[in-house]
Structure formats: C-alpha cells, structure tokens
C-alpha cells in the first residue's frame, strides 16, 4: 500500500498503484486483519485508511517506521502522485 494521501476506495488504489483490483482487495483484507488499515462505508464506496499514527499502537508505530524507511523511494513517490490524482469518476459500479 502506498503511503496514503487521503482515504481511498479500491478503484482509486487500482489507478494509483497500477495493480489489478483482486490483488488490491486481497492485500487490503490482509492489512485490515493485521490492524494496519481501517475501512468505512461512504455511500456505495468503501474507503480505506491507514491507522492513525497518533494512536500509539504497535501497528501505528510500524506504519510510522515504514513511512520513514520508504520516504525517498521513487516507486512510492510515483504511487503517491497517482493516488493524489486518482478520481472516483473512473470507478465502475456494479
């Protein structure tokens, strides 16, 4: 998961990371089960967010460490740029 710019739905993460939807969904489920990601329904979308770094939990501390470790990574930077530009207008709703 790229370092988050804002809560994002699966379709925005697909656009940002250029990875197929089933893979994104599978990884989000794993991250949610690990306590690293939370989800909330917003109309027909489910928005995913990284846990709050201020929470002081081990999961939040881990994400803070990962954020520092990946701060200068070019792939992460490109993913962040695409996530910032991603739009739900391109989402396909069934």
């Amino acid at each position: 998961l790229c370092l988050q710019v804002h809560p994002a739905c699966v379709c925005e993460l697909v656009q940002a990371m250029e990875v197929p939807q089933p893979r994104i969904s599978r990884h989000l489920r794993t991250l949610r089960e690990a306590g690293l990601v939370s989800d909330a329904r917003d109309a027909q979308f489910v928005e995913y967010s990284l846990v709050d770094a201020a929470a002081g939990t081990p999961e939040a501390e881990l994400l803070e460490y990962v954020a520092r470790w990946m701060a200068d990574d070019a792939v992460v930077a490109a993913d962040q740029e695409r996530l910032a530009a991603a739009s739900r207008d391109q989402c396909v709703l069934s």
Side-chain angles (χ1 to χ4, degrees):
L1 179 65
C2 59
L3 302 179
Q4 193 155 322
V5 176
H6 56 78
C9 67
V10 171
C11 57
E12 290 171 306
L13 293 169
V14 167
Q15 292 172 52
M17 300 183 75
E18 300 176 334
V19 175
Q21 179 274 323
R23 185 179 300 169
I24 294 282
S25 294
R26 185 175 62 247
H27 288 290
L28 284 169
R29 182 181 65 239
T30 301
L31 292 168
R32 188 179 64 240
E33 290 171 356
L36 298 171
V37 170
S38 63
D39 60 346
R41 182 157 292 282
D42 177 24
Q44 66 269 45
F45 298 98
V46 177
E47 292 185 331
Y48 294 88
S49 302
L50 296 173
V51 295
D52 183 5
T57 64
E59 295 85 1
E61 290 178 23
L62 176 63
L63 286 176
E64 187 176 329
Y65 173 76
V66 169
R68 284 194 311 268
W69 176 55
M70 298 176 76
D72 296 326
D73 187 279
V75 173
V76 173
D79 288 347
Q80 285 179 306
E81 286 179 27
R82 286 190 303 271
L83 182 57
S87 169
R88 287 192 184 166
D89 294 341
Q90 297 178 14
C91 297
V92 177
L93 300 174
S94 45

